[in-house]
Amino acid sequence: MTNLVSFPSNGPEEDLDWFATSALFDDVITFIIRYVTNDQAKRDITAGVASGYVFIRELPEPDQTNVLTALRDTFPSHVDSKIYPPRVTARMDDPEIFVARAKSLAQMAGRSLALREAPGASPDSKG
């Protein structure tokens, strides 16, 4: 099953959706939950996971910004140390494909943050 993490964008003309397999999605959700302090938001994420999606844009502030920032700044090293550490990638065929796919989530989070701060950003893109 393919799962979805959807980021705040600059309106409906730009989708910032990241798709992953269930195993990678579960690792991502475990990472995201660490940065969510709002109890209702945690319950909403848990409910969304059961359906295979999480909408970062629906998180309240400051959780939305905290999650986006953590994904952009911390997630790449988390990929290298926890999700695809050397002992795992050494046994994989073409591990760079999987590592790049996981790390593309950080790039998308960075894009979402940049769009929020861009001149003329829509109010929906700021949380």
Side-chain angles (χ1 to χ4, degrees):
M1 178 173 146
T2 300
N3 298 279
L4 166 74
V5 177
S6 186
F7 291 93
S9 65
N10 205 14
E13 66 279 352
E14 180 166 13
D15 288 333
L16 288 177
D17 295 335
W18 183 83
F19 298 91
T21 61
S22 294
L24 181 54
F25 183 74
D26 291 344
D27 288 332
V28 168
I29 298 309
T30 300
F31 180 87
I32 287 172
I33 288 283
R34 293 183 356 209
Y35 296 92
V36 177
T37 58
N38 181 287
D39 289 335
Q40 182 60 51
K42 285 181 181 183
R43 287 190 293 275
D44 292 345
I45 289 172
T46 302
V49 167
S51 298
Y53 61 84
V54 170
F55 294 100
I56 303 299
R57 68 177 164 261
E58 293 179 358
L59 291 175
E61 289 296 349
D63 289 340
Q64 184 180 120
T65 297
N66 292 343
V67 167
L68 289 170
T69 302
L71 286 170
R72 180 192 66 194
D73 298 344
T74 309
F75 191 70
S77 63
H78 180 78
V79 170
D80 292 334
S81 65
K82 303 291 184 197
I83 299 175
Y84 293 121
R87 71 181 187 288
V88 171
T89 58
R91 298 183 309 233
M92 296 172 69
D93 292 328
D94 303 315
E96 62 278 357
I97 295 169
F98 297 95
V99 171
R101 180 76 196 129
K103 289 183 179 182
S104 70
L105 183 66
Q107 295 167 340
M108 196 166 285
R111 175 80 177 135
S112 181
L113 283 166
L115 285 171
R116 290 165 40 137
E117 298 172 7
S122 70
D124 291 339
S125 67
K126 294 186 180 180

